[in-house]
Amino acid sequence: MKNIGFLSFGHWSASPHSRVRSGADALLQSIELAVAAEEAGADGAYYRVHHFAQQLASPFPLLAAAAARTSRIELGTGVIDMRYENPLYMAEDAGSADLISGGRLQLGISRGSPEQVIDGYRYFGYTPSEGTSDGDMAREHTARFLEVLDGEGFARPNPRPMFPNPPGLLRIEPHAPGLRDRIWWGAGSRATAEWTAEQGMNLMSSTLLTEDTGVPFHRLQAEQIQRFRDAWTAAGHEREPRVSVSRSIFPIVNDLDRQLFWREHDSTDQVGWIDGGNARFGKTYANEPDKLIAELAEDEAIAAADTLLLTVPNQLGVDYNAHVVESVLTHLAPELGWR
């Protein structure tokens, strides 16, 4: 294990039990948690993107603001729903945020998860072409996004521009060198992981797989990772890919931890139905550190990945979530091969 970071969904609610009561709270606390995680020694701060929900939605202002407050930690998404995105405008936003960060962006993108509204991407002005699906549209947007990130000129310049142009065709600006290699695809199946490798994107795998073969979640995910790596080798890419997995991990080290998460100590995988098919959900890990170390040592997917993202309960506030991250880094990470 080379990298450990957190993944926040950025929920807010007016519930008296929530320490995140508004959109402003969610955004500002997301920045503060990135700062706290960096101070604790973590490697990454990642944010989920959901539209039409009381959750984080527009990632690039947040990523840029977090970049301005930090100096070392990776900043990323898990994931941006490409059905909603204008690829060229997104490339401008991503390039700007990456330059502000000094090249620390790690952008997870995907088709997205089940929505809060019916066909929400249509309200954003996007409709699949006749005979294609919304998933096809997401991949089309992705192909164009990756293409313009390469930095090649494609737009014919105006012969009488307001400002002088460089020679040749023009590209999207600002260009962020190296960002193309820091794009990840959130894959929910083994076949999609193979497609991800063929496109030259890193693999981001969460606590949900949209298929079930009857084996434990971590074993199915480890198979997904191996198939990704095999497809990457077959595609002949020159660089080494990265792979992340997400887990809910809560070391029980004080009375508050015990009060909040002890009931999860015997959590198991769940099998359900999502988007018209079987799905397998990974369990929550919550226990005393020595017992967690033994449990996590048997997680084949964590062993196979180079990055572990800790899904944090952000409505419990910055201080508690910083404590969770620090507890994992202090009590568990060395035994997982971190650094």
Side-chain angles (χ1 to χ4, degrees), residues 33-89:
L33 185 55
V35 173
E38 181 171 85
E39 291 174 350
D43 303 298
Y46 287 72
Y47 305 102
R48 189 70 168 89
V49 179
H50 276 126
H51 300 289
F52 298 103
Q54 290 187 335
Q55 298 176 44
L56 301 173
S58 179
F60 294 108
L62 171 59
L63 293 170
R69 292 282 308 280
T70 57
S71 61
R72 177 189 57 79
I73 198 168
E74 293 180 344
L75 300 161
T77 53
V79 292
I80 298 173
D81 188 332
M82 292 302 291
R83 295 174 294 180
Y84 287 76
E85 296 296 325
N86 177 314
L88 272 63
Y89 194 83

Side-chain angles (χ1 to χ4, degrees), residues 25-40:
D25 287 344
L27 290 163
L28 295 172
Q29 290 188 30
S30 294
I31 298 167
E32 294 302 326
L33 185 55
V35 173
E38 181 171 85
E39 291 174 350

